[in-house]
Amino acid sequence: MFTDTEKLTLADIENLDFTTVIWVVAPLMFFFVLLEFLIGRKKYKNLYSGKDFLASTAIGIGNLILNGFMKIGVFMVFLFFFNLAPFKIPHTWWSYVLCLILLDFSRYWAHRFAHEQRFWWSTHVVHHSSEHYNLSTSFRLSWTQNLKIIFFLPVVLLGFHPLVFFIVHQLEVLYQFWIHTELIKKLPRPIEYIFTTPSHHRVHHSVNERYLDKNYGSTFIFWDRIFGTFQEEDEKPRYGITKPVNSYNPFFLVFHEWIEVGKDIWKAKSLKEAWIILFGSPVDKHKADMGITGKTETELSNIGKANEEFSPKVKKAN
């Protein structure tokens, strides 16, 4: 059952368009964005900003268009490694469950590296650049994020059927949508313990000192509990990045960190220094750029204030 050595060709999977599902559900996503805006506008004055929303939408649409053009290239990479797999996992119901767990594990580490190393941060920073936190924030997916496919290749090498892999991957991406909201507070404890929730993800998007680099989980939060990166939401979050961009230009929002990394490498005096620039901590670099030398909440208190008028205080868990 595990020794199937079937080889696949591009023709076998070219119809598995990983952008199709997003385009189909896009109208529903915009409906919930509108609903969130209508429900929250009276209580949460600054929940949405027009320019911020347009920037997020432009980035999201650009990402979908780019993925459409890159579809064949991504499939070719997938096929190469899938056909190297020493065995093939049968296409059954439990293969979806197993793939979900393993892919989510891979996404945890991809996400963690994207916060701990500047090269990978450059593929992710646009998602954190808004100082507002609402459903449209989930649209901010980098146009260079496909570089992170390298983190998912071990899952591909296990021999999951392409249909299984791409469906699970789409479910993982779609799951991220609903957790970008202020309107959903803490959920029942069993859910909060196992799954990534809006409360967990608000912490992740926050620039509060004690919240930095926490809660990387994609669908499951227990990875953070296992690997020591979990932080409960117990104080009001402020959103954004430690070195604010102060721009609504979608191209600058996507590429500004790549530009900064390129400038720093150009000025590097050795290969070792260039390596440190590429894979050093983006938080430490940005604090140095901002003249923030310590690591106290006071020194970061002026960053990410756009949401202060509407973010309620969070009661600490009993």
Side-chain angles (χ1 to χ4, degrees):
M1 182 168 62
F2 285 91
T3 58
D4 185 358
T5 58
E6 174 191 5
K7 302 288 184 180
L8 294 180
T9 66
L10 188 61
D12 293 323
I13 67 168
E14 62 183 357
N15 291 324
L16 301 178
D17 191 342
F18 54 88
T19 63
T20 300
V21 177
I22 299 295
W23 281 111
V24 170
V25 301
L28 189 60
M29 296 169 76
F30 276 102
F31 167 77
F32 282 113
V33 167
L34 177 61
L35 186 63
E36 181 187 46
F37 169 74
L38 293 175
I39 293 174
R41 62 177 178 172
K42 292 184 179 180
K43 185 177 180 181
Y44 306 136
K45 183 179 179 181
N46 291 334
L47 182 61
Y48 275 87
S49 162
K51 291 181 179 180
D52 186 82
F53 169 74
L54 290 176
S56 296
T57 303
I59 292 167
I61 292 174
N63 182 64
L64 288 176
I65 293 173
L66 186 62
N67 278 346
F69 282 112
M70 297 181 65
K71 168 187 171 182
I72 299 301
V74 171
F75 280 172
M76 289 178 67
V77 172
F78 178 91
L79 275 176
F80 177 80
F81 285 92
F82 173 79
N83 285 328
L84 287 178
F87 53 80
K88 303 296 186 291
I89 295 178
H91 186 183
T92 61
W93 67 268
W94 56 261
S95 66
Y96 286 89
V97 177
L98 182 60
C99 186
L100 175 63
I101 295 172
L102 295 177
L103 184 57
D104 200 70
F105 175 77
S106 299
R107 286 174 63 88
Y108 167 86
W109 284 105
H111 197 178
R112 182 165 175 173
F113 278 115
H115 279 257
E116 295 179 347
Q117 299 179 347
R118 287 186 69 192
F119 177 84
W120 298 110
W121 175 242
S122 299
T123 71
H124 184 59
V125 60
V126 64
H127 184 63
H128 285 264
S129 57
S130 175
E131 293 189 5
H132 298 267
Y133 193 76
N134 52 59
L135 292 174
S136 73
T137 305
S138 66
F139 301 162
R140 293 191 178 217
L141 298 176
S142 176
W143 301 344
T144 61
Q145 66 172 341
N146 282 329
L147 289 172
K148 289 187 286 189
I149 191 174
I150 189 173
F151 292 100
F152 310 141
L153 294 181
V155 180
V156 176
L157 281 169
L158 290 175
F160 287 100
H161 189 280
L163 183 62
V164 174
F165 182 89
F166 287 121
I167 286 179
V168 169
H169 182 266
Q170 281 298 293
L171 290 175
E172 289 267 86
V173 173
L174 289 173
Y175 185 89
Q176 303 305 300
F177 174 70
W178 79 281
I179 61 178
H180 290 86
T181 183
E182 288 274 2
L183 301 189
I184 301 176
K185 306 308 175 185
K186 290 190 176 182
L187 299 174
R189 284 178 180 247
I191 296 175
E192 293 279 336
Y193 194 84
I194 298 173
F195 297 99
T196 301
T197 66
S199 176
H200 299 324
H201 209 59
R202 285 193 290 270
V203 168
H204 178 70
H205 272 258
S206 173
V207 291
N208 300 40
E209 180 65 34
R210 65 199 305 267
Y211 285 172
L212 290 176
D213 296 337
K214 301 294 184 181
N215 297 1
Y216 297 112
S218 186
T219 297
F220 301 117
I221 198 64
F222 52 66
W223 303 122
D224 290 280
R225 298 181 186 278
I226 292 172
F227 296 111
T229 53
F230 176 74
Q231 173 61 52
E232 186 174 1
E233 183 187 27
D234 54 17
E235 67 182 34
K236 179 176 64 176
R238 299 188 319 278
Y239 306 111
I241 54 180
T242 49
K243 185 181 179 182
V245 187
N246 300 320
S247 174
Y248 297 108
N249 183 318
F251 292 93
F252 186 72
L253 288 169
V254 170
F255 294 111
H256 73 92
E257 185 66 17
W258 286 113
I259 295 171
E260 290 296 316
V261 170
K263 288 180 179 178
D264 289 341
I265 289 179
W266 180 259
K267 293 183 291 185
K269 298 178 181 179
S270 66
L271 289 176
K272 180 180 180 180
E273 185 177 346
W275 179 270
I276 293 173
I277 289 169
L278 276 174
F279 299 104
S281 167
V283 172
D284 291 344
K285 166 62 178 174
H286 294 165
K287 285 181 178 180
D289 289 345
M290 297 289 288
I292 301 172
T293 56
K295 294 189 176 182
T296 66
E297 184 63 23
T298 301
E299 291 173 308
L300 293 172
S301 62
N302 290 323
I303 300 174
K305 285 193 170 184
N307 65 304
E308 278 201 339
E309 291 187 25
F310 65 83
S311 290
K313 292 184 177 179
V314 179
K315 294 182 178 179
K316 292 186 178 181
N318 294 328

